[in-house]
Amino acid sequence: MSERIHQQLAFLNEADKLKSVVRGTTLNDATRRENSAEHSWHIALYALVMAEHAERPVNVDRVIKMLLLHDLVEIDAGDIPIHSAAARDVAAQAAIEQAAADRIFALLPADQADACRALWDEFEAAETDDAIFAKSIDRVQPVIANLESGGGSWRDFNVTVEHLETRVGIKVRRGAPAIWEALSARINVWFSTNT
Amino acid sequence: MSERIHQQLAFLNEADKLKSVVRGTTLNDATRRENSAEHSWHIALYALVMAEHAERPVNVDRVIKMLLLHDLVEIDAGDIPIHSAAARDVAAQAAIEQAAADRIFALLPADQADACRALWDEFEAAETDDAIFAKSIDRVQPVIANLESGGGSWRDFNVTVEHLETRVGIKVRRGAPAIWEALSARINVWFSTNT
């Protein structure tokens, strides 16, 4: 038993490093950039509250677990802001993240490593209803943060409304169209005023 | 639908402020104090991985939801380090947290406000198996952070091993005795060497 607990703690201690992975997006009050650990908490809370807006019915408990786990690979791979030039090399980033998943989930006892890796793979593949909705929620929160903070990473990367639609809107619409629709007026006002 | 989404977003935007509530505990690498949002993520992950060590069977999905919600009241009430002098005025702190729960959960649509408040009340009451385990996990993570960081808030507040047992150990043992047992050797070494 104790050996198993120490394996689990090795994983949880590794996970602590996600608190030091800084994202492109700031807090809503723009005082600093958020990190991937607090982002993961926030989007799990988003899922808890907004699962009813999923395009197709989801198991919110599975969605929350996916979102708690989904960014752990950034401990090795870093966060690549979606609007940055680096985000364009999708294949290279995917290979780094796969290697990170191999390393980090393997810290767990084998049965849990397999279960967590399967959830992460499902999230990455974005084919199941749960994963599609989880991906939508992951994309929505930074949009809100940018609207609340006065532009945030949209200003940093000179994002246009067309770019936002292509990189973000399409994915949010796929899993949670009602949420994107509810935001569209604010988004259009911001981009027509600021770009 | 849109009105409901905007109520949910008002709650989620309020929740963003938890990222600015700083705790007594540091990151494992001691580079800075952690905030209550990233702490909430970390303990949700603890629950996901360690639910098998609960003293009595728990519904891990409910435990995770409790842990995602449990610290939101700190947006108004602040975090009171468990080893600090301020932690002794339990009644006053509880009244502030109740008022905070009244305000913050009421931002949600009424049905969700009731559901989230009920989970928070259950956590605070610490009577159900889910809540007892959730409280244990909330107390375990700072112990690990202190062990990993070289003492952390134990040094700051001149904590003794007897104080740790009374304030923390009893509560962890109640919900997850196997975890406390697995940590006891490391805890005893630290306190015998450093106090």
Side-chain angles (χ1 to χ4, degrees), chain B residues 136-155:
Chain B
S136 294
I137 285 298
D138 187 32
R139 297 288 163 89
V140 162
Q141 181 262 345
V143 171
I144 308 286
N146 283 345
L147 286 171
E148 292 292 320
S149 66
S153 62
W154 295 337
R155 286 189 197 281

Side-chain angles (χ1 to χ4, degrees), chain B residues 104-141:
Chain B
I104 294 165
F105 292 121
L107 295 169
L108 285 164
D111 60 316
Q112 294 190 310
D114 291 347
C116 289
R117 178 58 184 262
L119 272 175
W120 184 81
D121 286 339
E122 181 179 338
F123 176 83
E124 287 296 305
E127 291 170 354
T128 65
D129 293 338
D130 290 349
I132 290 167
F133 179 66
K135 286 260 180 189
S136 294
I137 285 298
D138 187 32
R139 297 288 163 89
V140 162
Q141 181 262 345

Side-chain angles (χ1 to χ4, degrees), chain A:
Chain A
M1 177 61 83
S2 179
E3 171 59 22
R4 190 165 164 93
I5 289 175
H6 288 292
Q7 283 183 286
Q8 291 164 335
L9 289 176
F11 169 80
L12 292 165
N13 283 334
E14 187 65 26
D16 197 72
K17 297 177 184 169
L18 196 61
K19 299 170 187 171
S20 300
V21 174
V22 178
R23 294 168 44 82
T25 314
T26 69
L27 304 193
N28 283 9
D29 66 8
T31 49
R32 63 170 172 83
R33 296 197 172 193
E34 70 171 355
N35 66 63
S36 293
E38 61 198 358
H39 161 74
S40 295
W41 165 75
H42 205 184
I43 60 174
L45 198 63
Y46 264 74
L48 193 162
V49 167
M50 303 194 96
E52 67 192 46
H53 306 299
E55 173 71 348
R56 295 168 55 87
V58 294
N59 178 333
V60 65
D61 299 320
R62 294 188 78 247
V63 171
I64 288 172
K65 285 177 188 160
M66 275 183 204
L67 292 173
L68 292 174
L69 295 168
H70 86 293
D71 269 345
L72 283 170
V73 295
E74 293 182 358
I75 292 168
D76 291 350
D79 178 70
I80 307 292
I82 192 169
H83 301 297
S84 68
R88 289 171 203 148
D89 193 351
V90 174
Q93 184 66 11
I96 295 168
E97 292 186 351
Q98 289 284 332
D102 289 345
R103 182 185 75 77
I104 294 166
F105 292 122
L107 295 169
L108 285 164
D111 59 317
Q112 294 190 311
D114 290 348
C116 289
R117 178 58 185 263
L119 271 175
W120 184 80
D121 285 340
E122 180 179 338
F123 176 84
E124 287 296 305
E127 289 170 355
T128 65
D129 294 338
D130 290 349
I132 289 167
F133 178 67
K135 286 259 180 191
S136 293
I137 285 297
D138 188 32
R139 298 287 162 89
V140 162
Q141 182 262 344
V143 171
I144 308 285
N146 283 346
L147 286 170
E148 292 292 321
S149 66
S153 63
W154 294 337
R155 286 191 197 280
D156 296 341
F157 297 111
N158 297 311
V159 175
T160 64
V161 70
E162 294 78 17
H163 181 96
L164 183 71
E165 179 59 41
T166 308
R167 300 283 301 175
V168 178
I170 287 173
K171 291 180 181 173
V172 178
R173 281 185 207 276
R174 188 171 172 221
I179 298 175
W180 195 250
E181 191 177 327
L183 293 175
S184 61
R186 280 186 75 189
I187 291 169
N188 289 334
V189 166
W190 192 88
F191 279 94
S192 65
T193 313
N194 292 280
T195 60

Side-chain angles (χ1 to χ4, degrees), chain A residues 4 8 32 52-53, chain B residues 4 8 19 32 52-53:
Chain A
R4 190 165 164 93
Q8 291 164 335
R32 63 170 172 83
E52 67 192 46
H53 306 299
Chain B
R4 191 166 164 92
Q8 292 164 334
K19 300 170 188 170
R32 64 170 171 83
E52 68 192 46
H53 306 298

Side-chain angles (χ1 to χ4, degrees), chain B residues 32-52:
Chain B
R32 64 170 171 83
R33 295 196 172 195
E34 70 172 352
N35 68 62
S36 293
E38 62 199 357
H39 162 74
S40 296
W41 165 75
H42 205 183
I43 61 175
L45 198 62
Y46 264 74
L48 193 161
V49 167
M50 303 194 96
E52 68 192 46

